[in-house]
Amino acid sequence: MRQELHSLEEFHNFIETHRLAFLHVMRDNCSVCHAVLPQVEDLVKEYDGVAFGVINQSEVEAIAGELSIFTVPVDIIYMDGKEMHRQGRFIDMQQLERQLSLMYDSLNK
């Protein structure tokens, strides 16, 4: 289930309270961001217990500085509060799925 994040505090709480968390950073007028969103949301749904968060940089501009984001969309996988994998601008869904699968499997052995 998608969780909308509306502040830096919500973002930090999100990655700290979930062992495996997937974050999608987007902007309002980004057609690629809106096209990728349902794809990554469907991917995350295949993995029980993986939290899916969406943060809109148009609303929370400080997220760009916090995460050193220069372009959107950006998809980041966090494990135990640490960034483990990041893709920006051009999202390779196969690589994203592979990385998520590896991390999911390592936590569920």
Side-chain angles (χ1 to χ4, degrees):
M1 184 169 82
R2 177 180 6 185
Q3 183 176 345
E4 301 286 338
L5 307 172
H6 301 284
S7 67
L8 287 179
E9 183 180 336
E10 286 183 19
F11 157 72
H12 286 292
N13 187 49
F14 175 75
I15 63 169
E16 290 168 7
T17 57
H18 298 95
R19 288 212 65 203
L20 194 54
F22 189 106
L23 180 70
H24 180 74
V25 182
M26 59 187 293
R27 289 189 65 79
D28 284 339
N29 297 318
C30 172
S31 59
V32 175
C33 301
H34 292 281
V36 169
L37 178 59
Q39 294 176 47
V40 294
E41 190 168 20
D42 286 346
L43 170 64
V44 174
K45 284 180 185 175
E46 295 178 25
Y47 297 90
D48 279 343
V50 176
F52 181 60
V54 177
I55 192 162
N56 187 330
Q57 186 185 343
S58 299
E59 179 185 334
V60 186
E61 292 183 5
I63 197 68
E66 184 77 12
L67 299 177
S68 298
I69 292 174
F70 301 101
T71 186
V72 287
V74 173
D75 290 305
I76 306 173
I77 302 171
Y78 291 90
M79 188 164 67
D80 294 328
K82 295 181 181 154
E83 181 178 324
M84 301 301 289
H85 181 76
R86 175 190 291 227
Q87 286 191 29
R89 195 168 184 190
F90 302 107
I91 308 300
D92 181 338
M93 293 302 293
Q94 289 179 328
Q95 183 182 21
L96 200 58
E97 182 172 13
R98 184 176 188 290
Q99 292 298 320
L100 183 58
S101 176
L102 288 170
M103 287 177 239
Y104 182 82
D105 290 345
S106 74
L107 290 177
N108 293 295
K109 285 188 175 181

